Amino acid sequence: MRYLAPWLGVWLSVLAGCSVPGLEELKRGRALPVSIHYTASFTTGCIRVVAQGAQDATTRMEETASNLASISPPLKWVLLRKPHWGGDVSLTVTAHEQTCNGPEVDRQVVVFAAGVEDEQSVMLETPDMDADGYVPLANGGTDCDDSIETGASAFPGHTEVCDAVDNDCDQVLNEGFTVLYPDGDGDGEGDSSKPSCEGALPPPEFVANGRDCDDSDPGVKTTAAEVCDAIDNNCKGGVDEVGDCGGTLREVADFHLQGPGGDAPWRTVAMSPANGGYPVWIAGLGGQLVVRKAANERFESFSFGASTTTPPPDGSPPASPNHCGNYGWYASWVDSEGAVYLGGASGRVAIHDGETCAFASQLPVNDTVVGMVGFENGSDTIVYMATDAGQLFYWRTFEWNLGRPPQSTPDSSREGHRYTGLHGFSADLTQDDNEELCVSAVTGGKQAVLSYFTRNDSLHVQPLDNPGDISGAMNAVWARSSTTACAVGDRGGVWRKIEADKWARKSAPPAGAVDFSSVVMLSNDDCYIVDKSNNGRLHRLTGKGWAKGPALPEHLTNKPLHDLAMETAANFWIVGDGRVLHYPEPP
């Protein structure tokens, strides 16, 4: 220890083999104790204390503690002041990276006023989460990566190795190596997070640059043009940097979307195949039914139980009394004239033309309609429906005009199969009975897909490649052609159709094996998918894997999502429990 008249500075936490002043001596000397707290992982640095008298600049002393690895915080330091010496005493406590001559990473000053001897406490901020002996740049140190995951392999002076980390903190990755990067999506730009260096034998899908920000989307790269789709197409870190896209991906706050009691349980959404996707219809439980007839207009309500007299406070039109009844609607389809076709609980079906519920009917069974798709050939329209009990029905223009109910298709069921969704396509709309339907289903607690050919009225169970032990229902399907389709189900179940009778299973998304509820497959074969977990999100699966974006705002990922409708990647809707999302929606 060291005595500097009139003071004595003592490191009580670090003294070894040295006599410590006794209690009486401490009392006579008027002990001024200080507790110095710091981050426990700060074991390689140095802590310095400088004491300075206010009345006499020559009464200065300095002590350091650098063997921090052998002790635990807090440090206890005692200043002994002789009785004849008065005035304030200031203590400057500093922490230094590595050595006492290293960068100062924190500084705290405490003052003992004359006549005050109470213990003072100092808190130094000395983070070293990765325990590599270096403090982050943000705290005045030199560590470029203090994370627990990769920080221990990145600090000044460390040997550079071939990885995705700046090991020596010189702001250059993998210097001294010939580096290649995987180009999984074949767009000519590689994934910088997965480098392969000289000496390794990389696969052929490698390139000499790591510029790609999404290696699962061939349309995303630094040379791509930014477009309106809520995706970072050009890897500049933002979305839609092309001027006015008409809005962003956000929740629609129209009054009628709340429902009569608020938090409306929406289950299905459908867009017109013409007129830029308008009108868009949304329906749900309890007879809820609303429509936005044109872009940027307020929603109109045809919901059962909605007030038809009280004007909404947001300027929306009052609800219309022309609802389609108090039924839970689970499926919908919109024709080119803008009319919506509804299917729901207890076998109820209806057609609403935007003014009145023009037609309403009942299936010959009391099942719930869970899927619906329609086809138009001039003035003739046919709508197909799937029920939860595992049957297919159809309804033609002349049938509803004559007041006839939907008819059961021949060969419409398979024993043990319960249907959950329906989609389809027609190779030639000018020919009757030329449609191919895809049905999502569950059988024996396992996911299944069936195909139905209207030209010969035949139903077939499709073989799923590598179904594994995945259980639950296949909840939705979207078919673009006989060899191009996407089906999704519970527990992260995702399949893509790659041949006429072959479905390939895909891995669950990074977010985990959630229960998917709806899917749409665009013309570029991207599958947009929503899930019905309590943190429902939008997912996008390309032919190369799970891609980034569009991302829902984080505060809007706290409710189940049930359905999705898309005109293109530049115009889509998502509905769920008390939630309606749209892109692009203006503020």
Side-chain angles (χ1 to χ4, degrees), residues 300-333:
E300 299 178 34
S301 174
F302 297 95
S303 294
F304 177 87
S307 173
T308 60
T309 57
T310 304
D314 67 345
S316 299
S320 168
N322 298 324
H323 55 77
C324 287
N326 185 15
Y327 299 93
W329 302 118
Y330 291 91
S332 60
W333 177 76

PDB file of all heavy atoms in Angstrom, residues 300-333:
ATOM      1  N   GLU A 300     -68.405  -0.536 -47.253  1.00  0.00           N
ATOM      2  CA  GLU A 300     -69.836  -0.563 -47.002  1.00  0.00           C
ATOM      3  C   GLU A 300     -70.177  -1.855 -46.275  1.00  0.00           C
ATOM      4  O   GLU A 300     -69.542  -2.895 -46.494  1.00  0.00           O
ATOM      5  CB  GLU A 300     -70.619  -0.477 -48.316  1.00  0.00           C
ATOM      6  CG  GLU A 300     -70.355   0.797 -49.099  1.00  0.00           C
ATOM      7  CD  GLU A 300     -71.118   0.816 -50.412  1.00  0.00           C
ATOM      8  OE1 GLU A 300     -72.256   0.272 -50.441  1.00  0.00           O
ATOM      9  OE2 GLU A 300     -70.598   1.341 -51.398  1.00  0.00           O
ATOM     10  N   SER A 301     -71.178  -1.812 -45.414  1.00  0.00           N
ATOM     11  CA  SER A 301     -71.545  -2.974 -44.616  1.00  0.00           C
ATOM     12  C   SER A 301     -72.891  -3.542 -45.037  1.00  0.00           C
ATOM     13  O   SER A 301     -73.869  -2.816 -45.173  1.00  0.00           O
ATOM     14  CB  SER A 301     -71.593  -2.611 -43.133  1.00  0.00           C
ATOM     15  OG  SER A 301     -72.074  -3.703 -42.363  1.00  0.00           O
ATOM     16  N   PHE A 302     -72.900  -4.869 -45.239  1.00  0.00           N
ATOM     17  CA  PHE A 302     -74.125  -5.640 -45.409  1.00  0.00           C
ATOM     18  C   PHE A 302     -74.177  -6.712 -44.335  1.00  0.00           C
ATOM     19  O   PHE A 302     -74.656  -7.831 -44.568  1.00  0.00           O
ATOM     20  CB  PHE A 302     -74.171  -6.262 -46.802  1.00  0.00           C
ATOM     21  CG  PHE A 302     -74.204  -5.247 -47.923  1.00  0.00           C
ATOM     22  CD1 PHE A 302     -73.032  -4.859 -48.554  1.00  0.00           C
ATOM     23  CD2 PHE A 302     -75.398  -4.672 -48.319  1.00  0.00           C
ATOM     24  CE1 PHE A 302     -73.052  -3.923 -49.574  1.00  0.00           C
ATOM     25  CE2 PHE A 302     -75.432  -3.731 -49.346  1.00  0.00           C
ATOM     26  CZ  PHE A 302     -74.257  -3.348 -49.968  1.00  0.00           C
ATOM     27  N   SER A 303     -73.674  -6.373 -43.153  1.00  0.00           N
ATOM     28  CA  SER A 303     -73.560  -7.327 -42.056  1.00  0.00           C
ATOM     29  C   SER A 303     -74.875  -7.486 -41.314  1.00  0.00           C
ATOM     30  O   SER A 303     -75.602  -6.511 -41.077  1.00  0.00           O
ATOM     31  CB  SER A 303     -72.479  -6.880 -41.079  1.00  0.00           C
ATOM     32  OG  SER A 303     -71.205  -6.916 -41.672  1.00  0.00           O
ATOM     33  N   PHE A 304     -75.142  -8.712 -40.917  1.00  0.00           N
ATOM     34  CA  PHE A 304     -76.298  -8.979 -40.076  1.00  0.00           C
ATOM     35  C   PHE A 304     -76.087  -8.304 -38.719  1.00  0.00           C
ATOM     36  O   PHE A 304     -75.024  -8.407 -38.116  1.00  0.00           O
ATOM     37  CB  PHE A 304     -76.472 -10.482 -39.887  1.00  0.00           C
ATOM     38  CG  PHE A 304     -77.600 -10.857 -38.980  1.00  0.00           C
ATOM     39  CD1 PHE A 304     -78.879 -11.005 -39.475  1.00  0.00           C
ATOM     40  CD2 PHE A 304     -77.387 -11.055 -37.620  1.00  0.00           C
ATOM     41  CE1 PHE A 304     -79.939 -11.344 -38.642  1.00  0.00           C
ATOM     42  CE2 PHE A 304     -78.430 -11.391 -36.779  1.00  0.00           C
ATOM     43  CZ  PHE A 304     -79.711 -11.533 -37.282  1.00  0.00           C
ATOM     44  N   GLY A 305     -77.106  -7.611 -38.232  1.00  0.00           N
ATOM     45  CA  GLY A 305     -77.046  -6.986 -36.923  1.00  0.00           C
ATOM     46  C   GLY A 305     -76.419  -5.615 -36.889  1.00  0.00           C
ATOM     47  O   GLY A 305     -76.381  -4.978 -35.829  1.00  0.00           O
ATOM     48  N   ALA A 306     -75.870  -5.127 -38.012  1.00  0.00           N
ATOM     49  CA  ALA A 306     -75.258  -3.801 -38.023  1.00  0.00           C
ATOM     50  C   ALA A 306     -76.328  -2.713 -38.024  1.00  0.00           C
ATOM     51  O   ALA A 306     -77.396  -2.868 -38.629  1.00  0.00           O
ATOM     52  CB  ALA A 306     -74.352  -3.656 -39.240  1.00  0.00           C
ATOM     53  N   SER A 307     -76.030  -1.609 -37.357  1.00  0.00           N
ATOM     54  CA  SER A 307     -76.984  -0.505 -37.300  1.00  0.00           C
ATOM     55  C   SER A 307     -77.130   0.138 -38.666  1.00  0.00           C
ATOM     56  O   SER A 307     -76.141   0.493 -39.315  1.00  0.00           O
ATOM     57  CB  SER A 307     -76.506   0.541 -36.283  1.00  0.00           C
ATOM     58  OG  SER A 307     -77.322   1.691 -36.338  1.00  0.00           O
ATOM     59  N   THR A 308     -78.364   0.283 -39.100  1.00  0.00           N
ATOM     60  CA  THR A 308     -78.645   0.885 -40.402  1.00  0.00           C
ATOM     61  C   THR A 308     -79.072   2.344 -40.287  1.00  0.00           C
ATOM     62  O   THR A 308     -79.398   2.970 -41.297  1.00  0.00           O
ATOM     63  CB  THR A 308     -79.746   0.091 -41.130  1.00  0.00           C
ATOM     64  OG1 THR A 308     -80.934   0.107 -40.328  1.00  0.00           O
ATOM     65  CG2 THR A 308     -79.305  -1.346 -41.347  1.00  0.00           C
ATOM     66  N   THR A 309     -79.075   2.874 -39.084  1.00  0.00           N
ATOM     67  CA  THR A 309     -79.548   4.246 -38.886  1.00  0.00           C
ATOM     68  C   THR A 309     -78.468   5.183 -38.368  1.00  0.00           C
ATOM     69  O   THR A 309     -78.471   6.370 -38.697  1.00  0.00           O
ATOM     70  CB  THR A 309     -80.736   4.265 -37.898  1.00  0.00           C
ATOM     71  OG1 THR A 309     -80.318   3.668 -36.665  1.00  0.00           O
ATOM     72  CG2 THR A 309     -81.910   3.476 -38.468  1.00  0.00           C
ATOM     73  N   THR A 310     -77.552   4.686 -37.568  1.00  0.00           N
ATOM     74  CA  THR A 310     -76.530   5.544 -36.972  1.00  0.00           C
ATOM     75  C   THR A 310     -75.388   5.771 -37.952  1.00  0.00           C
ATOM     76  O   THR A 310     -74.729   4.808 -38.388  1.00  0.00           O
ATOM     77  CB  THR A 310     -75.968   4.917 -35.689  1.00  0.00           C
ATOM     78  OG1 THR A 310     -77.046   4.646 -34.790  1.00  0.00           O
ATOM     79  CG2 THR A 310     -74.968   5.854 -35.031  1.00  0.00           C
ATOM     80  N   PRO A 311     -75.105   7.020 -38.336  1.00  0.00           N
ATOM     81  CA  PRO A 311     -73.996   7.288 -39.267  1.00  0.00           C
ATOM     82  C   PRO A 311     -72.661   6.970 -38.588  1.00  0.00           C
ATOM     83  O   PRO A 311     -72.411   7.404 -37.455  1.00  0.00           O
ATOM     84  CB  PRO A 311     -74.128   8.783 -39.570  1.00  0.00           C
ATOM     85  CG  PRO A 311     -75.516   9.142 -39.159  1.00  0.00           C
ATOM     86  CD  PRO A 311     -75.859   8.241 -38.015  1.00  0.00           C
ATOM     87  N   PRO A 312     -71.773   6.209 -39.222  1.00  0.00           N
ATOM     88  CA  PRO A 312     -70.461   5.918 -38.640  1.00  0.00           C
ATOM     89  C   PRO A 312     -69.643   7.191 -38.453  1.00  0.00           C
ATOM     90  O   PRO A 312     -69.742   8.137 -39.250  1.00  0.00           O
ATOM     91  CB  PRO A 312     -69.819   4.996 -39.677  1.00  0.00           C
ATOM     92  CG  PRO A 312     -70.975   4.380 -40.400  1.00  0.00           C
ATOM     93  CD  PRO A 312     -72.003   5.459 -40.466  1.00  0.00           C
ATOM     94  N   PRO A 313     -68.831   7.269 -37.420  1.00  0.00           N
ATOM     95  CA  PRO A 313     -68.080   8.500 -37.134  1.00  0.00           C
ATOM     96  C   PRO A 313     -66.961   8.800 -38.126  1.00  0.00           C
ATOM     97  O   PRO A 313     -66.468   9.920 -38.157  1.00  0.00           O
ATOM     98  CB  PRO A 313     -67.510   8.224 -35.735  1.00  0.00           C
ATOM     99  CG  PRO A 313     -67.460   6.740 -35.619  1.00  0.00           C
ATOM    100  CD  PRO A 313     -68.626   6.233 -36.389  1.00  0.00           C
ATOM    101  N   ASP A 314     -66.547   7.807 -38.944  1.00  0.00           N
ATOM    102  CA  ASP A 314     -65.432   8.045 -39.870  1.00  0.00           C
ATOM    103  C   ASP A 314     -65.896   8.426 -41.269  1.00  0.00           C
ATOM    104  O   ASP A 314     -65.093   8.514 -42.192  1.00  0.00           O
ATOM    105  CB  ASP A 314     -64.532   6.818 -39.948  1.00  0.00           C
ATOM    106  CG  ASP A 314     -65.224   5.620 -40.591  1.00  0.00           C
ATOM    107  OD1 ASP A 314     -66.474   5.642 -40.719  1.00  0.00           O
ATOM    108  OD2 ASP A 314     -64.522   4.662 -40.962  1.00  0.00           O
ATOM    109  N   GLY A 315     -67.190   8.682 -41.451  1.00  0.00           N
ATOM    110  CA  GLY A 315     -67.705   9.064 -42.759  1.00  0.00           C
ATOM    111  C   GLY A 315     -68.120   7.904 -43.630  1.00  0.00           C
ATOM    112  O   GLY A 315     -68.533   8.107 -44.780  1.00  0.00           O
ATOM    113  N   SER A 316     -68.009   6.678 -43.133  1.00  0.00           N
ATOM    114  CA  SER A 316     -68.483   5.524 -43.893  1.00  0.00           C
ATOM    115  C   SER A 316     -69.997   5.592 -44.039  1.00  0.00           C
ATOM    116  O   SER A 316     -70.686   6.153 -43.181  1.00  0.00           O
ATOM    117  CB  SER A 316     -68.102   4.223 -43.186  1.00  0.00           C
ATOM    118  OG  SER A 316     -66.706   4.089 -43.064  1.00  0.00           O
ATOM    119  N   PRO A 317     -70.548   5.012 -45.106  1.00  0.00           N
ATOM    120  CA  PRO A 317     -72.007   5.022 -45.255  1.00  0.00           C
ATOM    121  C   PRO A 317     -72.653   4.141 -44.195  1.00  0.00           C
ATOM    122  O   PRO A 317     -72.047   3.170 -43.721  1.00  0.00           O
ATOM    123  CB  PRO A 317     -72.222   4.454 -46.663  1.00  0.00           C
ATOM    124  CG  PRO A 317     -70.994   3.654 -46.941  1.00  0.00           C
ATOM    125  CD  PRO A 317     -69.880   4.363 -46.245  1.00  0.00           C
ATOM    126  N   PRO A 318     -73.874   4.443 -43.788  1.00  0.00           N
ATOM    127  CA  PRO A 318     -74.574   3.568 -42.833  1.00  0.00           C
ATOM    128  C   PRO A 318     -74.715   2.160 -43.390  1.00  0.00           C
ATOM    129  O   PRO A 318     -74.731   1.945 -44.604  1.00  0.00           O
ATOM    130  CB  PRO A 318     -75.931   4.250 -42.666  1.00  0.00           C
ATOM    131  CG  PRO A 318     -75.696   5.674 -43.074  1.00  0.00           C
ATOM    132  CD  PRO A 318     -74.664   5.628 -44.151  1.00  0.00           C
ATOM    133  N   ALA A 319     -74.790   1.183 -42.503  1.00  0.00           N
ATOM    134  CA  ALA A 319     -74.938  -0.204 -42.935  1.00  0.00           C
ATOM    135  C   ALA A 319     -76.254  -0.385 -43.682  1.00  0.00           C
ATOM    136  O   ALA A 319     -77.265   0.255 -43.384  1.00  0.00           O
ATOM    137  CB  ALA A 319     -74.884  -1.130 -41.732  1.00  0.00           C
ATOM    138  N   SER A 320     -76.222  -1.271 -44.657  1.00  0.00           N
ATOM    139  CA  SER A 320     -77.426  -1.582 -45.428  1.00  0.00           C
ATOM    140  C   SER A 320     -78.198  -2.709 -44.733  1.00  0.00           C
ATOM    141  O   SER A 320     -77.593  -3.618 -44.157  1.00  0.00           O
ATOM    142  CB  SER A 320     -77.037  -2.020 -46.836  1.00  0.00           C
ATOM    143  OG  SER A 320     -78.146  -2.578 -47.516  1.00  0.00           O
ATOM    144  N   PRO A 321     -79.511  -2.684 -44.814  1.00  0.00           N
ATOM    145  CA  PRO A 321     -80.305  -3.784 -44.236  1.00  0.00           C
ATOM    146  C   PRO A 321     -80.305  -5.032 -45.114  1.00  0.00           C
ATOM    147  O   PRO A 321     -80.824  -6.075 -44.702  1.00  0.00           O
ATOM    148  CB  PRO A 321     -81.709  -3.185 -44.129  1.00  0.00           C
ATOM    149  CG  PRO A 321     -81.757  -2.173 -45.236  1.00  0.00           C
ATOM    150  CD  PRO A 321     -80.370  -1.597 -45.335  1.00  0.00           C
ATOM    151  N   ASN A 322     -79.710  -4.940 -46.306  1.00  0.00           N
ATOM    152  CA  ASN A 322     -79.784  -6.045 -47.267  1.00  0.00           C
ATOM    153  C   ASN A 322     -78.656  -7.059 -47.028  1.00  0.00           C
ATOM    154  O   ASN A 322     -77.768  -7.261 -47.860  1.00  0.00           O
ATOM    155  CB  ASN A 322     -79.715  -5.503 -48.697  1.00  0.00           C
ATOM    156  CG  ASN A 322     -80.879  -4.586 -49.016  1.00  0.00           C
ATOM    157  OD1 ASN A 322     -82.006  -4.811 -48.565  1.00  0.00           O
ATOM    158  ND2 ASN A 322     -80.602  -3.537 -49.780  1.00  0.00           N
ATOM    159  N   HIS A 323     -78.711  -7.711 -45.871  1.00  0.00           N
ATOM    160  CA  HIS A 323     -77.700  -8.718 -45.544  1.00  0.00           C
ATOM    161  C   HIS A 323     -78.134 -10.086 -46.072  1.00  0.00           C
ATOM    162  O   HIS A 323     -79.238 -10.247 -46.609  1.00  0.00           O
ATOM    163  CB  HIS A 323     -77.491  -8.772 -44.031  1.00  0.00           C
ATOM    164  CG  HIS A 323     -78.743  -9.014 -43.247  1.00  0.00           C
ATOM    165  ND1 HIS A 323     -79.331 -10.256 -43.137  1.00  0.00           N
ATOM    166  CD2 HIS A 323     -79.536  -8.161 -42.536  1.00  0.00           C
ATOM    167  CE1 HIS A 323     -80.412 -10.185 -42.408  1.00  0.00           C
ATOM    168  NE2 HIS A 323     -80.589  -8.906 -42.023  1.00  0.00           N
ATOM    169  N   CYS A 324     -77.272 -11.077 -45.889  1.00  0.00           N
ATOM    170  CA  CYS A 324     -77.575 -12.438 -46.360  1.00  0.00           C
ATOM    171  C   CYS A 324     -77.845 -13.396 -45.213  1.00  0.00           C
ATOM    172  O   CYS A 324     -77.719 -14.613 -45.359  1.00  0.00           O
ATOM    173  CB  CYS A 324     -76.427 -12.974 -47.212  1.00  0.00           C
ATOM    174  SG  CYS A 324     -76.313 -12.226 -48.861  1.00  0.00           S
ATOM    175  N   GLY A 325     -78.187 -12.853 -44.034  1.00  0.00           N
ATOM    176  CA  GLY A 325     -78.576 -13.699 -42.923  1.00  0.00           C
ATOM    177  C   GLY A 325     -77.490 -13.874 -41.887  1.00  0.00           C
ATOM    178  O   GLY A 325     -76.322 -13.522 -42.090  1.00  0.00           O
ATOM    179  N   ASN A 326     -77.895 -14.442 -40.771  1.00  0.00           N
ATOM    180  CA  ASN A 326     -77.006 -14.656 -39.633  1.00  0.00           C
ATOM    181  C   ASN A 326     -76.325 -16.013 -39.761  1.00  0.00           C
ATOM    182  O   ASN A 326     -76.646 -16.969 -39.034  1.00  0.00           O
ATOM    183  CB  ASN A 326     -77.800 -14.564 -38.331  1.00  0.00           C
ATOM    184  CG  ASN A 326     -76.901 -14.663 -37.112  1.00  0.00           C
ATOM    185  OD1 ASN A 326     -75.686 -14.524 -37.212  1.00  0.00           O
ATOM    186  ND2 ASN A 326     -77.510 -14.918 -35.961  1.00  0.00           N
ATOM    187  N   TYR A 327     -75.377 -16.089 -40.689  1.00  0.00           N
ATOM    188  CA  TYR A 327     -74.635 -17.320 -40.921  1.00  0.00           C
ATOM    189  C   TYR A 327     -73.136 -17.038 -40.834  1.00  0.00           C
ATOM    190  O   TYR A 327     -72.684 -15.934 -41.142  1.00  0.00           O
ATOM    191  CB  TYR A 327     -74.975 -17.919 -42.289  1.00  0.00           C
ATOM    192  CG  TYR A 327     -76.431 -18.276 -42.450  1.00  0.00           C
ATOM    193  CD1 TYR A 327     -77.325 -17.367 -43.000  1.00  0.00           C
ATOM    194  CD2 TYR A 327     -76.910 -19.513 -42.030  1.00  0.00           C
ATOM    195  CE1 TYR A 327     -78.679 -17.677 -43.135  1.00  0.00           C
ATOM    196  CE2 TYR A 327     -78.261 -19.833 -42.166  1.00  0.00           C
ATOM    197  CZ  TYR A 327     -79.140 -18.911 -42.711  1.00  0.00           C
ATOM    198  OH  TYR A 327     -80.466 -19.230 -42.838  1.00  0.00           O
ATOM    199  N   GLY A 328     -72.404 -18.034 -40.418  1.00  0.00           N
ATOM    200  CA  GLY A 328     -70.960 -17.902 -40.445  1.00  0.00           C
ATOM    201  C   GLY A 328     -70.448 -18.197 -41.838  1.00  0.00           C
ATOM    202  O   GLY A 328     -70.632 -19.306 -42.361  1.00  0.00           O
ATOM    203  N   TRP A 329     -69.811 -17.203 -42.469  1.00  0.00           N
ATOM    204  CA  TRP A 329     -69.305 -17.369 -43.833  1.00  0.00           C
ATOM    205  C   TRP A 329     -67.824 -17.749 -43.781  1.00  0.00           C
ATOM    206  O   TRP A 329     -67.024 -17.056 -43.178  1.00  0.00           O
ATOM    207  CB  TRP A 329     -69.492 -16.090 -44.634  1.00  0.00           C
ATOM    208  CG  TRP A 329     -70.907 -15.599 -44.728  1.00  0.00           C
ATOM    209  CD1 TRP A 329     -71.405 -14.424 -44.264  1.00  0.00           C
ATOM    210  CD2 TRP A 329     -72.017 -16.290 -45.327  1.00  0.00           C
ATOM    211  NE1 TRP A 329     -72.745 -14.319 -44.517  1.00  0.00           N
ATOM    212  CE2 TRP A 329     -73.167 -15.463 -45.177  1.00  0.00           C
ATOM    213  CE3 TRP A 329     -72.162 -17.511 -45.967  1.00  0.00           C
ATOM    214  CZ2 TRP A 329     -74.417 -15.820 -45.645  1.00  0.00           C
ATOM    215  CZ3 TRP A 329     -73.429 -17.883 -46.434  1.00  0.00           C
ATOM    216  CH2 TRP A 329     -74.528 -17.043 -46.281  1.00  0.00           C
ATOM    217  N   TYR A 330     -67.489 -18.877 -44.435  1.00  0.00           N
ATOM    218  CA  TYR A 330     -66.127 -19.401 -44.400  1.00  0.00           C
ATOM    219  C   TYR A 330     -65.440 -19.409 -45.768  1.00  0.00           C
ATOM    220  O   TYR A 330     -64.218 -19.603 -45.839  1.00  0.00           O
ATOM    221  CB  TYR A 330     -66.119 -20.829 -43.860  1.00  0.00           C
ATOM    222  CG  TYR A 330     -66.475 -20.922 -42.396  1.00  0.00           C
ATOM    223  CD1 TYR A 330     -67.801 -21.100 -41.998  1.00  0.00           C
ATOM    224  CD2 TYR A 330     -65.495 -20.825 -41.419  1.00  0.00           C
ATOM    225  CE1 TYR A 330     -68.137 -21.189 -40.654  1.00  0.00           C
ATOM    226  CE2 TYR A 330     -65.822 -20.910 -40.073  1.00  0.00           C
ATOM    227  CZ  TYR A 330     -67.142 -21.091 -39.702  1.00  0.00           C
ATOM    228  OH  TYR A 330     -67.462 -21.185 -38.363  1.00  0.00           O
ATOM    229  N   ALA A 331     -66.198 -19.226 -46.839  1.00  0.00           N
ATOM    230  CA  ALA A 331     -65.626 -19.282 -48.184  1.00  0.00           C
ATOM    231  C   ALA A 331     -66.304 -18.245 -49.063  1.00  0.00           C
ATOM    232  O   ALA A 331     -67.491 -17.928 -48.879  1.00  0.00           O
ATOM    233  CB  ALA A 331     -65.789 -20.682 -48.784  1.00  0.00           C
ATOM    234  N   SER A 332     -65.550 -17.708 -50.036  1.00  0.00           N
ATOM    235  CA  SER A 332     -66.113 -16.695 -50.928  1.00  0.00           C
ATOM    236  C   SER A 332     -65.381 -16.698 -52.263  1.00  0.00           C
ATOM    237  O   SER A 332     -64.233 -17.137 -52.357  1.00  0.00           O
ATOM    238  CB  SER A 332     -66.036 -15.302 -50.290  1.00  0.00           C
ATOM    239  OG  SER A 332     -64.692 -14.953 -50.011  1.00  0.00           O
ATOM    240  N   TRP A 333     -66.074 -16.191 -53.274  1.00  0.00           N
ATOM    241  CA  TRP A 333     -65.494 -16.019 -54.606  1.00  0.00           C
ATOM    242  C   TRP A 333     -66.215 -14.849 -55.264  1.00  0.00           C
ATOM    243  O   TRP A 333     -67.416 -14.654 -55.039  1.00  0.00           O
ATOM    244  CB  TRP A 333     -65.648 -17.291 -55.438  1.00  0.00           C
ATOM    245  CG  TRP A 333     -65.129 -17.165 -56.845  1.00  0.00           C
ATOM    246  CD1 TRP A 333     -63.837 -17.174 -57.250  1.00  0.00           C
ATOM    247  CD2 TRP A 333     -65.938 -17.005 -58.025  1.00  0.00           C
ATOM    248  NE1 TRP A 333     -63.765 -17.030 -58.617  1.00  0.00           N
ATOM    249  CE2 TRP A 333     -65.038 -16.917 -59.120  1.00  0.00           C
ATOM    250  CE3 TRP A 333     -67.313 -16.912 -58.266  1.00  0.00           C
ATOM    251  CZ2 TRP A 333     -65.472 -16.754 -60.429  1.00  0.00           C
ATOM    252  CZ3 TRP A 333     -67.749 -16.751 -59.573  1.00  0.00           C
ATOM    253  CH2 TRP A 333     -66.829 -16.671 -60.639  1.00  0.00           C
TER     254      TRP A 333
END
